[in-house]
Amino acid sequence: MNTAAARSLRAAPALAALALLPGCVVPAARTKPELPAPEAWRAPAAPAAEASLAELPWTELYRDPALTALIDEALANNSDLRIAAARVELARAQYRVQRADRLPSINAAGSFTRDSRPSPVSPGDNVITNTWTAGLAVPAWEIDLWGRVKALSGAARERYLAAEETRRATRLSLVAEVAGAYLNLVALDTQVRIAASTRGLRERSRELIVQRHDAGVASGLDLAQADALVAAARRTHAELERQRDRQENALAILLGRAPGAIARDPVVFERALPPLLPAGLPADLISRRPDLRSAEANLHA
């Protein structure tokens, strides 16, 4: 074998080790990319009350007692929220297990036995023997030279954070759905009252036209038009009542109840929300969304 071939053979293990080094690189820390953004929001500065609106908890955002009571009931009874909370506990437990792998563990065991046998010296007597045993074992422990165990622990932590953000997203979504359904229900109540009033006015107007028709003052066309208006008002009234019943049943299901009546306050719109809301908001508020933060944590995991 010539000298060049021998040198190649001696260099082969080193080259193989160098090829494996990229697989042993410690994972980079979690960082966010730098995005070009203006130094200030272009809209005029909002008053302090409006600027802090995004920081308000829902208990202060919705000021109607009936609405807040319904939201509390939904949060207590909703099965999706309980499932999300259970997943958070599961992810937390998995993170603790994964984090424990970074530390050495020691297993200890002990036992005690008591034995009675006939005495070979004194017939009829028994010899009692007590035996104590103890053991100590140190299982195989991986020295985290390349950061593999640390990276797995970090991934488990990110999955735990993602589960927590998913729970928050489920909670916020439930609060928003209950509030929206309740406000829609109150709005439908108003529409039903207006439709009932319109129906009554058109029915009384028809009665007058019937009297005029019987007296020969109104024509048959006037009576037909009055009948059409009454029929349209009755149809609109009935459709709005069906919509209200469906909305009421949907809200009851959100609350964890069987479909049925929901108590509500007709003046909810006067105190449900703050009087002023900002017309525009900076785009960085999107970073508050828990569903996006959950996706980011899962991506990093």
Side-chain angles (χ1 to χ4, degrees):
M1 182 180 299
N2 56 31
T3 305
R7 290 178 179 175
S8 300
L9 290 177
R10 287 195 298 269
L15 294 175
L18 289 175
L20 293 175
L21 279 179
C24 302
V25 175
V26 178
R30 179 174 180 174
T31 58
K32 292 185 178 181
E34 295 292 336
L35 298 177
E39 295 181 358
W41 170 236
R42 61 175 297 180
E50 296 181 9
S52 62
L53 179 63
E55 302 290 347
L56 289 177
W58 66 264
T59 52
E60 298 181 15
L61 182 63
Y62 302 119
R63 303 173 183 176
D64 182 69
L67 175 56
T68 55
L70 293 178
I71 294 177
D72 285 332
E73 182 179 352
L75 293 175
N77 298 333
N78 188 265
S79 57
D80 291 336
L81 192 58
R82 288 198 294 266
I83 292 173
R87 287 175 177 170
V88 170
E89 294 300 326
L90 175 62
R92 182 187 291 114
Q94 291 174 342
Y95 168 55
R96 290 175 177 173
V97 171
Q98 194 65 54
R99 186 177 58 178
D101 290 341
R102 301 178 60 182
L103 302 174
S105 60
I106 298 177
N107 296 334
S111 63
F112 168 76
T113 58
R114 185 180 181 89
D115 188 17
S116 177
R117 298 180 181 180
S119 174
V121 179
S122 302
D125 294 336
N126 293 332
V127 177
I128 299 176
T129 305
N130 297 325
T131 304
W132 290 269
T133 59
L136 190 65
V138 179
W141 174 53
E142 177 182 354
I143 300 177
D144 197 13
L145 183 62
W146 302 108
R148 185 188 73 88
V149 179
K150 181 180 179 180
L152 291 176
S153 177
R157 179 179 180 274
E158 294 294 338
R159 285 190 288 268
Y160 160 59
L161 294 177
E164 177 62 29
E165 293 295 344
T166 300
R167 185 195 65 82
R168 291 186 65 247
T170 304
R171 179 184 177 89
L172 291 177
S173 177
L174 179 61
V175 170
E177 288 183 7
V178 172
Y182 180 79
L183 295 177
N184 287 335
L185 181 59
V186 176
L188 284 171
D189 285 337
T190 303
Q191 295 179 33
V192 168
R193 287 195 297 270
I194 294 174
S197 177
T198 302
R199 174 182 174 178
L201 290 174
R202 290 183 177 177
E203 288 176 347
R204 288 192 294 272
S205 177
R206 180 187 177 278
E207 293 175 357
L208 294 175
I209 293 177
V210 168
Q211 295 175 5
R212 290 168 59 86
H213 179 268
D214 293 342
V217 177
S219 64
L221 179 60
D222 294 334
L223 182 58
Q225 289 177 344
D227 290 338
L229 291 175
V230 169
R234 290 174 177 174
R235 182 176 64 252
T236 301
H237 186 211
E239 178 60 28
L240 287 173
E241 285 185 329
R242 283 193 293 269
Q243 292 181 16
R244 182 185 61 183
D245 293 341
R246 288 195 296 265
Q247 186 67 46
E248 198 169 24
N249 292 337
L251 179 56
I253 293 174
L254 276 177
L255 300 177
R257 305 181 189 175
I262 301 292
R264 57 251 192 201
D265 191 346
V267 297
V268 61
F269 289 103
E270 298 178 6
R271 59 191 179 191
L273 294 174
L276 295 176
L277 294 176
L281 294 173
D284 59 359
L285 288 180
I286 199 172
S287 62
R288 302 175 188 267
R289 288 181 47 173
D291 57 338
L292 297 182
R293 289 191 289 202
S294 174
E296 182 182 6
N298 278 321
L299 177 62
H300 193 71

